[in-house]
Amino acid sequence: MERGRIICGLLLWLVSVVRGEDPYIFFTWNVTYGIISPLGVPQQGILINGKFPGPNINSTSNNNLVFNIFNNLDEPLLFTWNGVQHRKNSWQDGVPGTNCPITPGTNYTYRLQVKDQIGSFFYYPSTALHRAAGGFGGLRINSRLLIPVPYHDPEDDYTVLISDWYTKSHTTLKKFLDSGRSIGRPEGVLINGKTAKGDGSDKPMFTMKPGKTYKYRICNVGMKNSLNLRFQGHLMKLVEMEGSHVVQNNYDSLDVHVGGCFSVLITADKDPKDYYIVASTRFSKTVLTGKAIMRYTNGKGAPSPDIPESPLGWAWSLNQFKTFRWNLSASAARPNPQGSYKYSKIDITRTIKLVNSVSRENGKLRYALNGVSHVDPETPLKLAEYFGVSDKVFKYNTIQDEPPADLGASVKIQPNVLNVTHRKFIEIIFENPEKSIQSYHLDGYAFFVVGIEPGTWTPDKRKSYNPFDAVSRHTVQVFPKCWAAILLSTDNVGMWNLRSLTAENMYLGQQLYISIMSPEGSLRDEYNMPDDNLLCGVVKGLPKPPPYT
Ligand SMILES: *[C@@H]1O[C@H](CO)[C@@H](O)[C@H](O)[C@H]1NC(C)=O
Ligand SMILES: *[C@@H]1O[C@H](CO)[C@@H](O)[C@H](O)[C@H]1NC(C)=O
Ligand SMILES: *[C@@H]1O[C@H](CO)[C@@H](O)[C@H](O)[C@H]1NC(C)=O
Ligand SMILES: *[C@@H]1O[C@H](CO)[C@@H](O)[C@H](O)[C@H]1NC(C)=O
Ligand SMILES: *[C@@H]1O[C@H](CO)[C@@H](O)[C@H](O)[C@H]1NC(C)=O
């Protein structure tokens, strides 16, 4: 026994010595404006190396990704990596509360390591309303060869970025919000930055060999609309969701809410011809539709003009959510390195209930959580905290763990930062009293979405939680007049943004930051601030705090 353990230890040591340092992949991004016409109307787009959407990033777990980003726009810019966990490293998160923006005409390098979150993700610009003009792209994390995934290698692997789309420029849309108005309704829906015309002139976006199975990685990178996605005549076998392998059910169509990602398998086993891939807006009075063509390589014939119908109402979407189950026997790496997947056995140490509201402050539209509408101070919150000058920039805990009784009566406009203790197991309840659907995302974490139900939440609703196989993911939807409950282990030190993924709600304050500090200030818990980290606001010129040890 003892001997076995020693040999095993030696082997592990050998493997780590032989493997050496994890591989690096280097990217240079030139971010510029350029003219694009996704809906046939020329407009200003944000391009990465001349491309809209931006390049697909293909990586394998443990790869170090190095992005040297040249900002050739005329505005400050940041990129964030939706769903990539950045263990101990909120320095690379790329949101206004953690990083100073890359100023026009300069470059900055993000260095991030992707871990065992096998799946489909995307990146996008987190500043202003830049996402409305592009700058987004797919990001894949593949499993290392030794760790099998619960399905056969597909013949090919395709990225499908779906989004609602505005023909107004990002600056015009931002002016609407700054003047207290809404950005209104989008003009169309895009699939990978395009939509098929359906007049016979369309080129196929994807091709499939007959009899083969393909993986499609679907993300909603849009501004506000949930989208229903379907492949004409084909079922989708869902295999992965936001970094977790799930029970493999077949679906005619999937509701993909803003910021959400799914991987599905499609087998080319139908009549060899062209088929439409269709994405259409949900929960909106006017249904907007985007299309793309998938072609069988031996195919003859145009796609049928009969577009499959999308479902109606949000109850359908809630029922679909209830079919999503984690595959507990999948041998691929767990998304949560601390192994808290027997989550219902862990005591909840804190419950934070967040209720969203919409109001008008001095006639201007604002969105809030528990009565505070967040604004980004000039000094990123993380830097203010690290340099020990947070009292000059923001206050912790301006909201309580319970919403105020007079929610929305007098919304405070200020930074919204919660102090959360390291290494606890907490519950966050989102309650949505509005008529519109909410989609939330937390940076730095995956969490268990244990329940979404109509009505208001009370502690006895815990009885209705999924105690067993809730999917560990990084987005959660809250349907109109419903609540959603998530559980998470606060094991990742950093300053992490919890935000509405609806661009308008987020820009107008429906977000907050969760600060999780290492009590020891130790390198075991958090990486040191990179030497070339940009400094701005009140921390500019301050002496650097001593590095962690
Ligand atoms: C970025 O692209 C612009 C426009 O094409 C070009 O003028 C500029 O030289 C490029 N910069 C870099 C660093 O490649
Ligand atoms: C992505 O990376 C994996 C692992 O290195 C590789 O097998 C695959 O061919 C790559 N895919 C693309 C599209 O480059
Ligand atoms: C800017 O780009 C240059 C040239 O590639 C590189 O040497 C430098 O490290 C980059 N600067 C930053 C802050 O990333
Ligand atoms: C879960 O993963 C296992 C192991 O890879 C696989 O054999 C099984 O088919 C999957 N189960 C379901 C229900 O998808
Ligand atoms: C955060 O909360 C912990 C526990 O209540 C407390 O010890 C700590 O001082 C607080 N930190 C800040 C910055 O308020």
Side-chain angles (χ1 to χ4, degrees), residues 91-92 98-100 108 383 529-535 544:
W91 305 115
Q92 307 296 336
T98 57
N99 293 78
C100 301
Y108 177 68
L383 297 181
M529 185 179 78
D531 287 340
D532 60 354
N533 203 63
L534 297 176
L535 300 178
K544 280 195 187 162

Side-chain angles (χ1 to χ4, degrees), residues 396-409:
Y396 290 94
N397 303 334
T398 57
I399 60 167
Q400 308 292 308
D401 286 359
E402 284 282 331
D406 60 344
L407 185 75

Side-chain angles (χ1 to χ4, degrees), residues 27 29 48-49 51-57 123 136-139:
F27 303 90
W29 280 3
I48 298 174
N49 298 343
K51 285 188 174 170
F52 165 77
N56 249 317
I57 304 305
Y123 60 83
F136 47 73
L139 194 161

